[in-house]
Amino acid sequence: MNTARLRDRVAASDPGLLRLAAGLRTVAAIALTLAVLGLAGVSVRHLVAGAIAAMVATFAIRERQRTAQAVTLALGLPLALVSLSLGALLSSRVVAGDLFFVALIFCAVYGRRFGDRGTALGLIGFQVYFVSLFVGATVSGLPELYGVLAVAFLCSAAARFLLVPETPAGLLERLREAFRARLAQLVSAQLGLLDAGPEEIDEVLETVREGTARLHETALMIQGRLEEGTADEATARLVQRRIADAEIAAERLGLLLLTARSAERADTLTLHLPGAPAPRAGRMPGRDEAMAQVRRDLEALRLLVLRPAAARSGTALSQVRNRLLGYREEDRLPPAPPAVQDVFRGIGETARAVLGLRIALDGPQDESDDSPETARSREELDAEDAVIDAGEADGAAQEELKGLRRPTTRAAVQVAVGSSLAIVGGEFLSSQRWYWAVLTCWIVFLNTSSTGEILVKGYRRLLGTVLGVLAGIVLAGSVGQHTWTAFALVLVLVFAMFYTAPLSYTLMSFFVTAALGLLYTLLHTYSLSVLVLRVEETALGAACGVIAAAFVLPVRTDRRTNDLLVTVLERLDEVTEAAVDQLSGGTPVELLDQARDLDQALADLRAATQPLTHPITPLRARRDTARYVVALLETCAYHARSLAATAELLPTHPSIAADPRLRRAGRRIGDNIAAIAAHVRDEHSTAAVETGPSIASLLDTEVPGTPRFGRVTDRVLRHVQRLDETLVGLARPLHVPVSAPKR
């Protein structure tokens, strides 16, 4: 049991074991290279060159298919040999060498427009040229260095394909386990909501927010790997559907628990906005007994999530599963206040989502112990699976930017200018190690798209470098000239660098700098002045990068976030319009891919707003506004995903059917999204968000005696209503006028 818990914790903390695999693969490549070169009796300088080359050949390749990885690695070796040769030939020709270095940097960044392969080859070309400068490559020493590079690339291939292999199917399987583990963690966090007192509720709610965000992050990772990791498109779409169902059900369960512990309905925004006030506990007659049952059922639900294979015939978990699924029937709900009964319904729907997820991931199950309620749930899931359309959705054509408007071209020009400044400034600081400034300037441009992102990345790299210098002093003094001890510590630091890279750029920079301190020791060039120079060159490179980004074809953070905000609104409009149209009786369309596009657009916006929400930003009001807007959009996305998931149930679910009256509500929501988008594009726009009667009143029938809502479920109505209210709330921080309804 302890081993299983540890495995679940690791799977949840590192979805797909991506960070662990990246660290182990890189360390294996370096260790194998050092072993081969050590047996060959090469010098320490060549050992250092081989270690760095093996690291570059391993981390540069990001393609998912093994064949594509092998092709890129094969192309990378001759490119590395050419780059190394030019580095040695031009080392004594200062002007020519500098001009070529700038041209190489431009080409390496421009290569990103050609996808993962172009990015990888650009990284290899640049980093190997850097290696030639770092180890002082000469023309006479090229033959031995050629052999070192060949060994490094062969060892990188062995580590990638033999020692630490990764297949799309295997990675997807690990991501699925991570989703289960994170779903169980979220249920555990939701359990804390039941007992949290006034002093604890804010902390517990923050844990629930974090768990909800981490679950969504894993769902996005799975969606990005489905096509490569599944046998066919139909299977991929089925898994995507079940992942989305489980995510929506879990988030809704959290809202229902918040409502049950308070005297009023909880706002969805509470689960997405850090620092939002938590609803305080209220008193409900008979609630304590019912809440004790809720607590037991949440524990049972958590076990169903973590141990799906144990819930087979003849086990106690099968009986628990039957009881939880029974809550989907009104006559099986325990006596409790209405808000607590909603929690039982939410537990039942989440158990159904877990059942669907288990069937999609593990295949057919033993049904001998099924209760009638469980059998009905299986029948519904089978009916939904049968109508999943395997056809591809038509993606909207996007305008291709050309010339300097293309992001890769603009970034290449910027980094070339910034690197030129770094070369000039670096030469003033040191004629031998000026390339550190260029390296920093290059790195701060990787995976950044605006001036603000570059500024934050430069700050983080400088902070990590300063701390790494201090650690390097301690490590270098401890290791001395013990070559293999130093290399062993380098391997530990390299693993830590790759394991922490997605979590903290500052930590990654810290481990890189500490490792470099050891390499300097091995090369007999270590001194306190060298490490101080490393900090100075890093600060200079970061400054040159920021200057180039700010004055050469600048992309202001406001402009980029506005562009991404418009994209999110457009995707939100597409999903909402299609879902509402289908719920109104329109032609069924593919909603899963549209919801996925919305999630990806929102993830891009969230990343782009990091400079605005960074703790060091002096503009506190602007930071709070950015957080509030992103939280509101996440709330809108949740309701849109829920509407899309409900709309796809129309052909199979007995209690959900189309209601043409929803079109009126859909038109108002669409008009309001368009008004907000128009104002973001042009602040002088006169478009206004319209308020008016509630969505429920829009569905009032004009025929006396006709049921008010027909067969449209109350849940659909709530999602549409909350989406409408959230859009009105979004208008205020964006300064979009809000007008009364048109008559």
Side-chain angles (χ1 to χ4, degrees):
M1 179 63 71
N2 291 335
T3 302
R5 288 178 179 174
L6 177 61
R7 185 176 63 249
D8 293 334
R9 290 178 66 88
V10 173
S13 63
D14 181 13
L17 303 182
L18 290 173
R19 291 184 284 121
L20 179 64
L24 290 177
R25 189 177 300 114
T26 307
V27 167
I30 297 174
L32 189 57
T33 301
L34 291 175
V36 173
L37 294 177
L39 292 175
V42 302
S43 66
V44 173
R45 187 173 297 273
H46 288 158
L47 287 174
V48 172
I52 299 177
M55 181 178 69
V56 171
T58 306
F59 82 77
I61 298 176
R62 300 293 185 184
E63 290 157 307
R64 297 176 181 175
Q65 296 296 337
R66 291 164 64 87
T67 303
Q69 294 172 3
V71 171
T72 302
L73 196 59
L75 294 174
L77 178 56
L79 177 63
L81 296 175
V82 172
S83 182
L84 178 69
S85 301
L86 290 172
L89 288 169
L90 298 174
S91 61
S92 59
R93 298 170 175 83
V94 177
V95 176
D98 291 349
L99 291 176
F100 173 76
F101 202 9
V102 172
L104 176 63
I105 290 170
F106 176 89
C107 294
V109 175
Y110 186 78
R112 291 191 297 178
R113 69 167 296 200
F114 301 106
D116 289 336
R117 179 164 296 162
T119 302
L121 294 177
L123 278 169
I124 291 172
F126 172 83
Q127 295 286 1
V128 171
Y129 191 90
F130 168 80
V131 170
S132 72
L133 299 175
F134 185 72
V135 300
T138 60
V139 175
S140 60
L142 281 178
E144 290 185 355
L145 285 173
Y146 288 160
V148 168
L149 280 186
V151 168
F153 273 73
L154 288 174
C155 291
S156 175
R160 177 176 296 276
F161 300 118
L162 298 177
L163 299 180
V164 191
E166 180 180 282
T167 62
L171 175 58
L172 182 59
E173 178 61 30
R174 295 196 299 272
L175 285 172
R176 293 168 179 172
E177 292 305 313
F179 185 85
R180 283 172 169 162
R182 285 192 166 183
L183 178 57
Q185 285 185 345
L186 178 56
V187 174
S188 298
Q190 291 170 345
L191 262 168
L193 292 174
L194 299 180
D195 303 317
E199 300 81 10
E200 305 167 328
I201 181 60
D202 290 326
E203 180 180 351
V204 171
L205 185 55
E206 188 59 37
T207 303
V208 173
R209 290 191 191 105
E210 181 181 350
T212 303
R214 283 158 61 90
L215 186 68
H216 184 61
E217 173 194 19
T218 311
L220 284 178
M221 294 173 69
I222 291 174
Q223 289 173 358
R225 303 279 180 168
L226 278 173
E227 293 182 3
E228 296 89 358
T230 50
D232 52 65
E233 189 175 353
T235 302
R237 300 181 67 76
L238 175 60
V239 173
Q240 182 181 352
R241 170 64 182 274
R242 295 305 169 218
I243 290 290
D245 287 346
E247 181 189 358
I248 292 169
E251 187 166 354
R252 180 171 177 268
L253 180 58
L255 288 171
L256 294 174
L257 285 167
L258 279 176
T259 299
R261 62 163 281 126
S262 63
E264 56 184 15
R265 187 177 296 278
D267 192 334
T268 316
L269 181 64
T270 306
L271 290 183
H272 298 289
L273 181 62
R280 301 301 169 182
R283 299 298 303 172
M284 294 184 185
R287 189 183 69 169
D288 293 340
E289 296 79 4
M291 282 305 210
Q293 179 65 42
V294 168
R295 187 177 297 103
R296 289 192 293 270
D297 288 339
L298 286 175
E299 289 283 5
L301 177 63
R302 180 178 175 276
L303 289 176
L304 285 179
V305 173
L306 279 178
R307 303 287 172 262
R312 297 184 182 273
S313 174
T315 67
L317 281 181
S318 296
Q319 300 175 6
V320 171
R321 180 199 60 206
N322 291 339
R323 187 182 81 248
L324 299 186
L325 287 171
Y327 293 153
R328 301 184 65 231
E329 306 292 334
E330 291 296 322
D331 58 350
R332 300 296 298 273
L333 291 174
V340 181
Q341 283 197 329
D342 280 343
V343 173
F344 285 116
R345 293 187 186 95
I347 292 175
E349 291 298 331
T350 306
R352 178 190 185 274
V354 171
L355 176 63
L357 188 63
R358 180 158 65 94
I359 294 173
L361 299 184
D362 302 333
Q365 309 293 316
D366 186 356
E367 304 175 12
S368 58
D369 289 340
D370 282 358
S371 66
E373 294 79 15
T374 301
R376 266 194 297 276
S377 294
R378 289 190 191 275
E379 291 171 0
E380 291 174 5
L381 292 168
D382 291 340
E384 292 171 18
D385 297 347
V387 300
I388 290 181
D389 181 13
E392 295 184 0
D394 294 330
Q398 296 183 355
E399 177 189 1
E400 182 181 357
L401 300 177
K402 298 180 179 180
L404 293 178
R405 295 178 60 202
R406 183 183 287 121
T408 49
T409 306
R410 181 176 58 245
V413 172
Q414 289 177 322
V415 74
V417 173
S419 298
S420 300
L421 296 175
I423 289 174
V424 174
E427 290 279 5
F428 280 106
L429 289 176
S430 171
S431 59
Q432 285 79 36
R433 295 184 177 85
W434 53 268
Y435 45 79
W436 287 119
V438 182
L439 180 66
T440 300
C441 181
W442 150 275
I443 288 177
V444 297
F445 272 93
L446 292 178
N447 301 319
T448 54
S449 303
S450 69
T451 306
E453 291 179 70
I454 292 171
L455 178 61
V456 170
K457 192 171 184 180
Y459 153 77
R460 288 172 173 168
R461 184 166 184 83
L462 180 59
L463 177 60
T465 300
V466 171
L467 297 176
V469 163
L470 299 177
I473 294 173
V474 175
L475 291 175
S478 303
V479 172
Q481 296 301 317
H482 300 286
T483 300
W484 293 108
T485 302
F487 273 124
L489 284 176
V490 168
L491 290 178
V492 173
L493 293 171
V494 167
F495 175 82
M497 175 184 71
F498 280 91
Y499 194 78
T500 60
L503 303 178
S504 171
Y505 188 72
T506 300
L507 276 178
M508 187 198 76
S509 301
F510 166 80
F511 290 121
V512 169
T513 305
L516 286 173
L518 291 173
L519 293 180
Y520 277 133
T521 302
L522 293 172
L523 294 174
H524 305 287
T525 56
Y526 167 79
S527 68
L528 180 60
S529 61
V530 168
L531 294 180
V532 172
L533 178 64
R534 171 90 169 96
V535 175
E536 295 173 344
E537 296 278 4
T538 298
L540 174 64
C544 291
V546 172
I547 291 171
F551 296 102
V552 180
L553 305 175
V555 177
R556 296 180 61 83
T557 304
D558 288 346
R559 173 183 156 190
R560 173 160 171 76
T561 53
N562 283 347
D563 290 343
L564 292 174
L565 175 55
V566 170
T567 301
V568 172
L569 292 170
E570 290 173 349
R571 299 294 177 267
L572 177 65
D573 187 33
E574 292 171 1
V575 176
T576 305
E577 180 181 5
V580 171
D581 182 69
Q582 193 162 321
L583 288 165
S584 305
T587 304
V589 296
E590 180 46 56
L591 294 171
L592 288 177
D593 288 340
Q594 292 185 357
R596 174 181 171 181
D597 291 341
L598 170 61
D599 288 336
Q600 187 57 58
L602 187 53
D604 293 340
L605 175 64
R606 193 183 301 111
T609 57
Q610 287 184 358
L612 302 178
T613 59
H614 195 275
I616 67 171
T617 179
L619 305 175
R620 303 298 182 185
R622 189 183 181 195
R623 179 192 63 186
D624 294 341
T625 299
R627 287 178 176 173
Y628 185 57
V629 168
V630 171
L632 286 171
L633 289 170
E634 289 175 341
T635 301
C636 289
Y638 162 70
H639 291 299
R641 286 195 303 269
S642 300
L643 287 173
T646 306
E648 291 204 336
L649 295 176
L650 279 176
T652 60
H653 204 287
S655 62
I656 301 176
D659 191 323
R661 293 171 293 178
L662 275 173
R663 282 197 174 91
R664 288 185 61 191
R667 281 196 296 269
R668 188 167 85 184
I669 290 174
D671 290 343
N672 285 345
I673 294 175
I676 296 173
H679 193 82
V680 174
R681 290 191 193 96
D682 180 9
E683 62 181 6
H684 301 295
S685 172
T686 58
V689 167
E690 178 185 341
T691 60
S694 67
I695 298 299
S697 67
L698 294 178
L699 300 187
D700 285 341
T701 178
E702 298 178 359
V703 180
T706 303
R708 185 181 185 191
F709 299 137
R711 291 176 294 172
V712 178
T713 63
D714 181 59
R715 187 187 308 176
V716 172
L717 200 59
R718 285 204 301 268
H719 285 308
V720 177
Q721 179 69 43
R722 289 297 181 88
L723 182 57
D724 183 65
E725 294 170 352
T726 306
L727 286 171
V728 175
L730 183 63
R732 295 187 176 94
L734 296 177
H735 307 294
V736 181
V738 178
S739 65
K742 299 177 182 178
R743 298 294 182 184

